[in-house]
Each structure stands twice: as C-alpha cells, then as structure tokens.
Amino acid sequence: MWRLKVADGGNDPYMYSTNNFVGRQIWEFDPDYGTPEERAEVEAARENFRKNRFPVKPSSDLLWRMQFARENPCASNLPQIKVQDLEEVTEEVVTTTLRRGLNFYSTMQAHDGHWPGDYGGPMFLLPGLNKDGGWGLHIEGPSTMFGTVLSYVTLRLLGEGGFGVEGAMEKGRKWILDHGGATAITSWGKMWLSVLGAYEWSGNNPLPPEVWLCPYILPIHPGRMWCHCRMVYLPMSYIYGKRFVGPITPTIIYLRKELYIVPYQEVDWNKARNQCAKEDLYYPHPLVQDILWASLHKVLEPILGHWPGNKLREKALCTVMQHVHYEDENTRYICIGPVNKVLNMLCCWIEDPNSEAFKLHIPRIFDYLWIAEDGMKMQGYNGSQLWDTCFAVQAIISTNLGEEYGLTLRKAHQFIKNSQVLEDCPGDLKFWYRHISKGAWPFSTADNGWPTSDCTAEGLKVVLLLCKLPLETVGEPLDMEQLFDAVNVVLSLQNADGGFATYELTRSYRWFELINPAETFGDIVIDYPYVECTSAAIQALTSFKKLYPEHRRHEIENCISKAAKFIEDRQAPDGSWFVLIYLINFFCISAQALEIVLLL
C-alpha cells in the first residue's frame, strides 16, 4: 500500500538538503503497510472514483486523508450544527463550527508543520482519459493532440498494446488519426517525439543554443524571459543542438506506423514544422515568427551544422550546460518546475549517462509524483507547501481561536521559519540571470529555493502576525535581521510601474511575446506584473511598517504608494480586478485588491 512520507530524505547518498528536507512530501510503496481493512478501504475509494470519473473528475485526495486520519485521530466530540433557513446564527454556533473545522484541519497537518496536498497543475504532465478517447491539458479540458499523443506514446512505452487493441489504446490512436496525426502536435510534443525517434528533428522549428552567447543588452536575450520559460527553453536548446535521438527499438518502429496518416518515410517534415491541431492552437504563430523560424531553419542551421560553424555550436552547448548545472545545483536537483526538471535530467544523461549530476537527479523525481484515488500524477511544482501553510495560519488566527490551537500554529511557525531562503545563489547573479533570494520565501520548499514575490510577502505577513502571539503558544519569533532580509527582497522586486511580477523584475517588453513558440500557452515569455503579487507586497510592507516604523521608512512608503497606484490603474471599468496567477480566480483577486484600497 502507498503511504506519504514527510521531511524524509532516506539514506540515499545522492540526496542533500538545506534544511533537513523540511516540506518534502513523497509517496512510497510499502507491501507490508496497512491492515486488510485499510487496504480494502483504499481499493473501495479507487473503484468509486473509477465508476464516477467522468461526471466527477477531481479526486478528493482520499489516500493522504485516510492515512493522516489513522495516524492523527481527531478526539473532538463537538456536535455538527446545521442552521435551518431563517434560523438565527448565534456566536456559539459559529464558534462550535469553527472548532470542529480547526480540530479536523489540525489532524491533517504533517509533523514538520505544513499541510500536504495534491498540486496537480497542468495535466499534460500526466493527464486523465476523456470520453472521446483523447487526453487533454487538464482534467476539465477537451482532448488535445499534445495530451493524446504523449499519453498514447507513454502507455506504449509502458507495454500497452498498439494495433488492434480495443479500449483506451485503440480509442486514443483513432483520435490522433482523426485529427490529422502526430505531425499536428505542438512544438513541445514535436521535441519529445524527436528525442524518442518517432519524429524527425527536421520537423522542428529551430531552438539554437547560440542565443545564449548573445549580449544581454539585446531585448530578446533569453535571460530576459520569465524564469519558467527560459528554464524550459534552456535545456530544450541543448537537446535540439545535439539532435539527440534515443535507441530505435521495435516499439519506436511501431509508433512511427501508428501515429501518422501517411507512411513515416512520406511525411513532409518541412511542412510539419508549423502544423498544429486546432484543438491545441491557443496562441497561433504570427507571421514574423514563421519568417524567423524559416530563416533559421534554412540559413543558420546548415551553417552551424558544419565546420567552422560547428565550433560555435560546441561553445554554445557548453555554455547552456553550465546554466543547466547551475539551476540543478541551486535547487538541490528539484529545479524550478517539472518540465525543466525532466529536461535538465535528460541533458545530464546526454552529456554523460554515468555522471554524478544524472544520479543526483533521479531521487528528486519523487518530489513531483503524487498519489490519490485517481492514481499517480505529476504535480505542477514540487508542491505548494509554503503557500498553503501561510494562508492556513492566517485563517486560524482570524478565528480568534489561535491560542486554543497553539500546537498547530507553533508547528506551522517553525515550518515557515525553516522554509526561508537564507542565502543568495553563488557567483555573479547577473551572469546567471538570477535575482537575489536571501530572505525570500519560495512557493514550495527551501530546497527548491526559487524566491517569489507574493510568497515572500505572505511569509513576511505571517511571521509578523505570529510574533504578536505569546511565545509559549507559537514559539520564538523570526530573527529581526531575517525580517529585514525579507523586506529587502520585496523592495527589490518592484518594477518601475509600481507593480510586482512573480519571481523577478520584468526584464523585457510585451512585444517579446511575438516570438513565443509554444502554441498552447500565451503570455509566458516575460514575467508580467500582477495585481495579486502587488497587493500581497503592500500588505506585508504595511504590517512591517507598524512594527518597525523607522527601518527604510522612505523606501517602504514610496514602494507602497507606487504599488497602490499600480493597483488603482489596473481596475476594470466595472470596478473589479482580474488577473490569473497561480490559478487564483477573479473573485479572490478583486477582494484582495479592494482590501488594499481600503487599507490605504
């Protein structure tokens, strides 16, 4: 039976951590774990999900909840009170209901202080099957060529049959062929099929690694991209530059026959470069982009493929791998997200299959895998531990029952203190295109280490709230110098327009989006400023200013003033604020922005 392990690095010699693995949440299969009754309960949950998987697509995270309910039984005997229509809601009713909720929530807290959970994210990472036989980008979405081809290929590599097999495989293949075949997959899918040998590299638009040798002064330098975007295209450019292809096995030969509407040797790969199924085409390539790719494909690539141009390519590939290794080492081989994680790992294997770098990657795969009654999935991050814990603490404190749940708050407080990033990345940060991180908080864990503006703000808000509660309840407050470090990070992340982006300053211009090659995703090339991140920064600095009114007073006041104007300027004509960041919806953003306006 599967069980969740928290803050556990095991005895693997290729695992290391900055804080003894605090926040790490991994699933481990233990054949001896659980009683027959407990195993039967798990199987019943799985079967119930299978029967209802189309009308109710999200899971309820039952495996984790069952495990924690067994390990931390709730001793509460408070009654469940249901208020009838028109019945008066008394303070006693509300307080009893809050206590019931907090009692339950406390049992779901891990021993290191955070609340585990599924952060499934975009389902092209590991999606679920739709009724029409295809797979989509997320559980609620329609089938796409990207999701269907990659899922079909994955199942074939895992040993599922191909031709003539009834059920999911036959339906999946039919969906692919009915929608134009695998030449219509998105550019990211084309790359992965090329790596496998089920698609030709000549059918890809160029991703020349030489762009990493250009001077940073260029507004289209990849170092100016949003970090998630550049950290994906960084390893992709290495794999493209190497034209790496894995072993051509019998399964790959069969895939070449199964995925296309014409024989593989008759595919027009030049035409295929710009093909994309209409189901996937969220961001069509503008004409300027097609001209750019055609020029690179027909002019630059032939030059770089032969002497003396290949010498420049070798230098570019070495530079790219420098940056890949830097990212790996500074995230303890977790990387910023799951896409660049597997790409970086592949780059390390291509460079040297027996390298220490590749071996260090392997155990960190498990940081991204999550198990629930709907099966195994790959998360969109290595979790949302810090983010969730900060909001949990704020919710508990807002009930005015905080002192009753002192142990819960104490554990959460310790987790938040343990999750602060204590050092900048080493070396010349400008050379590595990195922002300062000392004093920041990440979205997930300190080992991931990537600082984010709103997580830093929420972390700062929470430690300031907790320092107002008795020491015997919540423990020692965060060191003052670490508070100052957090403030320094927040101040450093404000853009000239007053707004805050996600991870870094906005480094280029909106027109840079014209060369976004990912047909499935829009607005990914630069790190845009957002209302949510900006409002979080204002709240944190306002809270800080009340406790430390003289620390960098003028800078903080100026920052808050500019940020408030940014939010006011972003208000829609109907009075709302709308922005989509971290999957936060319209109502949350509008409410938080309104809170800021009232606060000021």
Side-chain angles (χ1 to χ4, degrees):
M1 195 163 89
W2 289 98
R3 66 173 173 179
L4 183 66
K5 300 181 74 174
V6 171
D8 191 319
N11 297 314
D12 194 317
Y14 291 103
M15 288 285 293
Y16 63 98
S17 172
T18 62
N19 63 356
N20 202 27
F21 301 101
V22 167
R24 190 175 193 233
Q25 46 185 36
I26 60 167
W27 287 90
E28 179 182 82
F29 186 77
D30 183 347
D32 300 320
Y33 179 62
T35 65
E37 293 78 16
E38 290 167 352
R39 296 180 190 183
E41 187 181 17
V42 169
E43 290 308 314
R46 286 176 171 156
E47 179 61 15
N48 183 62
F49 180 86
R50 188 192 67 80
K51 288 179 179 178
N52 297 284
R53 68 188 185 278
F54 293 125
V56 184
K57 294 185 177 183
S59 78
S60 298
D61 237 349
L62 291 178
L63 271 63
W64 156 64
R65 290 170 59 187
M66 289 174 179
Q67 176 184 328
F68 273 37
R70 291 192 299 269
E71 295 175 356
N72 310 302
C74 182
S76 172
N77 56 0
L78 293 171
Q80 182 179 16
I81 304 173
K82 294 187 177 180
V83 180
Q84 303 301 318
D85 288 346
L86 304 180
E87 185 179 349
E88 182 183 1
V89 180
T90 66
E91 183 177 346
E92 181 183 359
V93 167
V94 172
T95 302
T96 299
T97 302
L98 284 173
R99 284 196 175 102
R100 278 177 54 84
L102 291 176
N103 285 344
F104 169 78
Y105 202 56
S106 295
T107 67
M108 295 291 107
Q109 186 181 29
H111 65 80
D112 69 352
H114 87 279
W115 280 267
D118 173 7
Y119 189 70
M123 295 304 288
F124 66 84
L125 301 169
L126 207 60
L129 180 66
N130 287 330
K131 275 186 177 180
D132 63 3
W135 286 263
L137 287 182
H138 52 85
I139 57 175
E140 299 293 343
S143 298
T144 63
M145 188 66 73
F146 189 23
T148 304
V149 170
L150 292 188
S151 297
Y152 180 86
V153 168
T154 299
L155 288 168
R156 292 288 282 114
L157 294 175
L158 289 171
E160 292 294 322
F163 285 123
V165 178
E166 295 183 3
M169 298 300 291
E170 188 65 21
K171 288 180 181 178
R173 180 169 181 264
K174 184 177 186 302
W175 193 97
I176 293 167
L177 298 181
D178 287 348
H179 291 78
T183 55
I185 196 172
T186 61
S187 57
W188 286 20
K190 286 176 166 66
M191 187 222 67
W192 277 115
L193 291 179
S194 300
V195 167
L196 287 172
Y199 189 97
E200 294 299 309
W201 277 110
S202 58
N204 288 259
N205 278 320
L207 283 175
E210 289 74 19
V211 295
W212 292 90
L213 299 178
C214 294
Y216 184 78
I217 194 173
L218 292 177
I220 59 170
H221 190 281
R224 296 181 179 275
M225 290 179 171
W226 181 41
C227 52
H228 274 284
C229 185
R230 74 170 182 266
M231 286 300 170
V232 166
Y233 285 109
L234 174 74
M236 275 189 180
S237 71
Y238 180 83
I239 298 165
Y240 173 84
K242 283 284 190 178
R243 300 295 200 280
F244 173 78
V245 180
I248 307 299
T249 65
T251 299
I252 301 301
I253 298 297
Y254 276 113
L255 284 171
R256 289 179 173 184
K257 297 176 182 178
E258 296 166 17
L259 294 175
Y260 301 97
I261 57 177
V262 299
Y264 187 78
Q265 62 273 18
E266 296 178 15
V267 174
D268 185 340
W269 298 110
N270 185 54
K271 182 179 178 182
R273 283 189 303 111
N274 293 313
Q275 287 181 340
C276 183
K278 62 180 177 60
E279 292 79 9
D280 298 61
L281 197 57
Y282 176 79
Y283 180 79
H285 288 177
L287 177 61
V288 65
Q289 196 176 134
D290 290 337
I291 294 172
L292 172 64
W293 301 143
S295 301
L296 292 174
H297 179 71
K298 296 180 182 299
V299 179
L300 184 64
E301 283 302 311
I303 294 172
L304 294 171
H306 300 86
W307 189 91
N310 58 4
K311 296 298 182 183
L312 183 63
R313 172 134 298 177
E314 289 174 11
K315 181 180 180 181
L317 291 171
C318 289
T319 298
V320 167
M321 279 308 297
Q322 276 185 292
H323 287 272
V324 166
H325 289 311
Y326 188 83
E327 157 74 347
D328 291 346
E329 291 161 8
N330 284 287
T331 60
R332 276 49 65 182
Y333 289 81
I334 296 170
C335 300
I336 195 173
V339 178
N340 84 312
K341 158 68 179 175
V342 293
L343 288 167
N344 282 19
M345 184 168 66
L346 176 58
C347 288
C348 292
W349 191 88
I350 294 171
E351 184 182 46
D352 180 1
N354 298 310
S355 66
E356 290 290 298
F358 178 69
K359 293 172 184 176
L360 286 161
H361 261 292
I362 293 172
R364 285 298 193 174
I365 294 172
F366 301 100
D367 292 55
Y368 283 100
L369 301 179
W370 188 263
I371 308 287
E373 69 271 20
D374 59 345
M376 180 183 286
K377 67 204 76 173
M378 185 172 234
Q379 300 186 100
Y381 218 76
N382 66 311
S384 52
Q385 296 90 317
L386 185 281
W387 181 251
D388 294 343
T389 303
C390 285
F391 284 113
V393 170
Q394 292 177 68
I396 293 170
I397 292 176
S398 70
T399 66
N400 292 324
L401 298 173
E403 293 198 33
E404 290 185 36
Y405 295 89
L407 179 59
T408 300
L409 289 178
R410 177 184 284 265
K411 288 164 62 178
H413 191 193
Q414 192 60 47
F415 171 80
I416 293 167
K417 290 189 290 184
N418 287 336
S419 298
Q420 189 179 24
V421 180
L422 301 180
E423 298 292 341
D424 289 328
C425 292
D428 181 357
L429 297 182
K430 289 184 178 179
F431 177 81
W432 301 108
Y433 316 117
R434 289 296 298 266
H435 196 80
I436 63 169
S437 50
K438 183 181 180 182
W441 274 277
F443 183 62
S444 55
T445 62
D447 279 349
N448 171 284
W450 272 91
T452 59
S453 62
D454 51 353
C455 293
T456 301
E458 297 299 340
L460 180 58
K461 282 166 57 180
V462 167
V463 294
L464 292 172
L465 280 171
L466 288 165
C467 78
K468 299 175 183 178
L469 298 178
L471 295 184
E472 58 271 17
T473 301
V474 299
E476 293 289 333
L478 189 70
D479 181 79
M480 184 174 64
E481 289 300 322
Q482 290 175 254
L483 293 176
F484 294 169
D485 288 340
V487 169
N488 184 55
V489 171
V490 173
L491 292 174
S492 74
L493 285 167
Q494 186 172 41
N495 287 296
D497 64 1
F500 286 76
T502 57
Y503 290 81
E504 299 161 337
L505 293 166
T506 303
R507 297 176 174 179
S508 192
Y509 307 95
R510 185 172 287 274
W511 56 257
F512 199 2
E513 204 72 40
L514 285 171
I515 64 167
N516 171 15
E519 303 87 347
T520 307
F521 312 107
D523 295 336
I524 65 166
V525 176
I526 64 172
D527 200 350
Y528 297 93
Y530 295 101
V531 168
E532 185 273 328
C533 297
T534 307
S535 62
I538 292 175
Q539 292 176 63
L541 292 176
T542 301
S543 298
F544 176 82
K545 189 173 69 166
K546 291 176 181 178
L547 293 177
Y548 298 92
E550 296 306 315
H551 181 77
R552 300 178 72 171
R553 179 165 60 90
H554 295 298
E555 293 172 78
I556 289 173
E557 289 175 352
N558 186 50
C559 177
I560 291 172
S561 177
K562 289 173 61 180
K565 186 178 187 307
F566 171 85
I567 291 176
E568 291 167 0
D569 291 345
R570 288 298 180 96
Q571 188 176 24
D574 65 1
S576 67
W577 284 267
F578 177 79
V579 77
L580 188 65
I581 179 65
Y582 296 144
L583 306 184
I584 297 171
N585 64 28
F586 162 88
F587 298 105
C588 292
I589 292 298
S590 295
Q592 193 173 39
L594 183 58
E595 180 183 350
I596 292 302
V597 173
L598 293 173
L599 181 68
L600 297 172

